[in-house]
């Protein structure tokens, strides 16, 4: 097969040119990073699980009328997606206090929030993704007022829907991050959900005992990340074909050897 043209390499994914105009291929890597790239590891099997979980969630969202970049999963690590122009904003929704919200405002982790809190971060590795508000976004032309309104409404709808999906499998959706992109259709633009939704981008707590089933297992050195992601996939009823315990164990060995360095 001829080498595909690389469009962009991110921390956890690679984008390649797709087979047709207006498409990209999104490749899920096993790389894990946290704290603005200061902590890194390769966790064998993570990319396969995220590809599958994100496919499942985007498909469900497509079915309730949320427009997304997702077209189809191609194989264990790749998805065919629509090429979009990413809006440089990370939209975070929080249902329960955790992570930077708890640290910044001194609210203990696990505190239920009365209503979901929406936050926006400017996507910039150099600046460490700073927190911004709607005035910054509109003023600096990252999105118009109408676009931001649409993004916020979509995000809250997605939150309601995902809370239900996860509750149904015994998991609390604590918080998560979304990204949106623009597609041109003739002279018109459409805003669609892009990127991924996976345990890398969500906080997921087991309802029974608040066990973390997400990337905090890596951020906080709790171990068992692949097992946790696999548990999320299993409860969603989607285990990736071809993954076997040996492969996953190989991933765990890699984490250990990296940690000991
Ligand atoms: N998040 C993400 N990518 C980022 C920052 C945050 O996917 O670059 C997700 C994170 O996994 C969590 C939520 O957004 O589910 C809120 O993250 P928080 O602000 O607490 O920061 P973090 O703990 O990720 O540094």
């Amino acid at each position: 097969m001829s080498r595909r043209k690389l469009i962009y390499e991110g921390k956890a994914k690679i984008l390649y040119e797709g087979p047709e105009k207006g498409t990209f291929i999104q490749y899920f890597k096993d790389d894990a990073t946290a704290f603005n790239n200061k902590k890194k590891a390769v966790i064998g099997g993570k990319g396969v699980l995220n590809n599958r979980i994100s496919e499942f969630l985007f498909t469900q969202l497509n079915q309730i009328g949320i427009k997304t970049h997702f077209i189809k999963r191609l194989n264990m690590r790749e998805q065919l997606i629509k090429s979009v122009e990413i809006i440089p904003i990370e939209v975070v929704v929080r249902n329960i206090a955790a992570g930077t919200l708890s640290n910044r405002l001194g609210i203990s982790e696990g505190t239920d929030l009365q209503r979901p809190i929406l936050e926006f971060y400017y996507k910039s590795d150099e600046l460490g993704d700073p927190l911004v508000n709607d005035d910054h976004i509109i003023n600096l032309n990252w999105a118009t007022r109408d676009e931001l309104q649409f993004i916020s409404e979509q995000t809250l709808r997605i939150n309601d829907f995902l809370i239900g999906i996860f509750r149904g499998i015994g998991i609390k959706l604590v918080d998560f991050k979304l990204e949106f992109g623009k597609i041109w259709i003739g002279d018109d633009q459409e805003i669609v959900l892009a990127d991924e939704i996976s345990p890398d981008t969500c906080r997921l707590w087991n309802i029974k005992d608040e066990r973390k089933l997400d990337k905090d297992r890596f951020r906080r050195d709790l171990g068992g990340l692949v097992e946790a992601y696999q548990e999320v996939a299993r409860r969603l009823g989607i285990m990736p074909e071809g993954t076997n315990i040996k492969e996953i164990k190989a991933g765990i060995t890699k984490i250990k050897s990296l940690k000991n360095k």
Side-chain angles (χ1 to χ4, degrees), residues 8-13 15 26 36 84-92 119-132 137 142 177-181 194-196 201:
Y8 175 77
E9 176 151 9
K11 285 175 261 189
K13 295 187 292 298
L15 277 188
Q26 174 164 257
N36 200 23
V84 306
E85 185 190 318
I86 287 285
I87 295 170
I89 303 294
E90 296 193 342
V91 185
V92 168
E119 291 175 351
F120 305 110
Y121 294 85
Y122 175 49
K123 269 171 74 71
S124 161
D125 284 341
E126 297 103 83
L127 301 174
D129 296 349
L131 182 68
V132 293
I137 295 171
W142 296 326
K177 185 261 307 182
L178 297 178
E179 293 185 26
F180 291 85
D195 195 51
E196 69 176 288
T201 62

Side-chain angles (χ1 to χ4, degrees), residues 35 90 92 94 98-101 119 121 129 175-177 199-203 215-216 219:
F35 312 118
E90 296 193 342
V92 168
R94 302 177 183 273
T100 58
L101 178 83
E119 291 175 351
Y121 294 85
D129 296 349
D175 57 30
F176 62 99
K177 185 261 307 182
D200 264 11
T201 62
C202 302
R203 282 199 171 88
K215 204 168 105 176
D216 273 347
R219 293 189 191 95

Side-chain angles (χ1 to χ4, degrees), residues 11-14 27-33 40-50 76-77 200 218 225-226 247 251 254-255 258:
K11 285 175 261 189
K13 295 187 292 298
I14 307 175
Y27 176 99
F28 286 76
K29 300 195 278 185
D30 283 339
D31 300 33
T33 65
K40 291 186 200 180
V42 176
I43 306 181
K46 179 176 83 75
V48 174
L49 288 158
N50 281 348
M76 298 255 291
R77 289 194 182 270
D200 264 11
F218 167 68
L225 179 135
V226 165
E247 241 183 45
K254 270 188 222 157
I255 310 172
L258 271 162

